[in-house]
Amino acid sequence: MRLLFLGPPGCGKGTQAKHVVERTGGTYIASGDMLREEVKNQTDLGKKAKSYMKAGDLVPDDLIINMIRKKIERDIENASFLLDGFPRTIPQAEALGMMLDGLNQPLQKAVDFQVADDEIIDRITGRRLCATCSAVYHVKWNPPKSDGSCSACGGDTYQRPDDSVETVKNRLQVYHRQTEPLLQYYRDKGILVSINGSGDISEITARIEQSLGLTLKA
Ligand code: AP5
């Protein structure tokens, strides 16, 4: 399928997106992961993006659109992909629409995960990631089997620098101001699917499965 996962920071879209792509295949395009790689490699884009990401602000549209355009042109050779975290503004959505129309592969569904702001703060401040394979954990709700090391590959886990309480509060404000208007944008296109993002990770997976008519069980 050609999917977009939308929602506030920490709503669980990355956790669910990885699960969906593992089960159904297709190209996974996560703008946040791509940007963190650019920062790590100290590329020109990474150097420009770093301060915005650290503050919890959006990286300017032209930089992001360029990065995603290159990825889509290079990697989307089949009709199945999942976009996670892009687009986040109306200009980004319009640019994406033009790119996909040009490839004759328009989005089929935009999935919005609804989670209250208080729960978001608990989720993000407890998040830990594997430095080697990028697996995502939560200290309380989805801990690795042994503290500080990844259950999948044994790599060290770490906390993202933008996962502090203060930065998360700003990321939530940015989401409500700049990204939430996309819900109406995709509702008007008739492809918005809203999912309650509260509950166990497996419950949310079951809701996605039901809403999209997919089979995601292991
Ligand atoms: P990005 O990396 O995309 O961050 P985000 O959108 O803020 O989303 P997160 O990765 O924080 O959350 P998520 O929804 O994936 O949640 P997760 O599954 O990890 O972007 C980072 C920055 O890059 C942005 O701030 C911006 O600066 C820049 N950027 C990126 N894209 C951009 C764009 N398009 N335009 C401009 N700038 C851009 O889950 C969170 C935690 O909760 C985890 O610990 C997880 O284990 C846990 N969890 C998940 N599900 C559940 C559940 N059901 N119950 C309990 N815990 C759960």
Side-chain angles (χ1 to χ4, degrees):
M1 284 188 90
R2 299 185 296 275
L3 297 173
L4 159 64
F5 278 11
L6 279 167
C11 67
K13 56 191 181 303
T15 300
Q16 297 295 339
K18 288 183 183 106
H19 191 66
V20 169
V21 171
E22 269 169 30
R23 296 295 186 277
T24 63
T27 306
Y28 177 47
I29 302 175
S31 51
D33 289 353
M34 290 171 70
L35 285 169
R36 279 184 286 282
E37 198 58 30
E38 299 280 345
V39 172
K40 193 168 119 190
N41 295 332
Q42 297 184 29
T43 63
D44 284 350
L45 170 58
K47 286 177 193 160
K48 286 178 190 152
K50 190 174 178 179
S51 60
Y52 296 99
M53 295 173 75
K54 196 167 172 213
D57 291 325
L58 293 185
V59 174
D61 284 340
D62 56 332
L63 297 179
I64 291 289
I65 290 168
N66 237 335
M67 176 182 84
I68 296 289
R69 178 174 288 118
K70 283 185 200 151
K71 173 83 179 165
I72 284 180
E73 284 171 0
R74 197 178 53 228
D75 287 350
I76 292 194
E77 72 274 300
N78 64 34
S80 187
F81 59 82
L82 195 162
L83 287 156
D84 168 5
F86 176 90
R88 277 185 210 216
T89 63
I90 297 287
Q92 290 182 21
E94 289 171 344
L96 175 69
M98 280 193 277
M99 286 178 225
L100 296 179
D101 284 349
L103 295 168
N104 207 18
Q105 293 188 10
L107 279 179
Q108 292 170 301
K109 296 285 176 204
V111 183
D112 159 45
F113 295 89
Q114 298 177 331
V115 180
D117 286 5
D118 288 353
E119 193 173 341
I120 293 287
I121 292 173
D122 288 345
R123 283 192 188 183
I124 295 196
T125 52
R127 171 166 52 195
R128 299 293 181 271
L129 292 126
C130 173
T132 308
C133 74
S134 304
V136 180
Y137 298 97
H138 189 281
V139 289
K140 196 155 98 194
W141 295 302
N142 182 25
K145 283 181 196 132
S146 113
D147 204 20
S149 75
C150 175
S151 312
C153 76
D156 291 338
T157 60
Y158 73 101
Q159 185 169 29
R160 263 170 53 176
D162 58 342
D163 278 355
S164 67
V165 177
E166 282 317 306
T167 308
V168 172
K169 285 184 180 164
N170 185 45
R171 283 162 64 193
L172 277 168
Q173 281 181 9
V174 167
Y175 170 76
H176 291 304
R177 196 171 59 240
Q178 292 181 266
T179 306
E180 218 163 43
L182 289 181
L183 303 187
Q184 191 58 45
Y185 179 87
Y186 286 114
R187 193 174 289 121
D188 290 345
K189 293 192 176 297
I191 60 168
L192 185 74
V193 175
S194 290
I195 289 185
N196 174 0
S198 284
D200 287 350
I201 291 173
S202 59
E203 279 177 60
I204 319 290
T205 306
R207 288 177 201 150
I208 297 172
E209 190 174 29
Q210 193 181 25
S211 303
L212 300 182
L214 299 171
T215 303
L216 300 176
K217 293 188 185 72

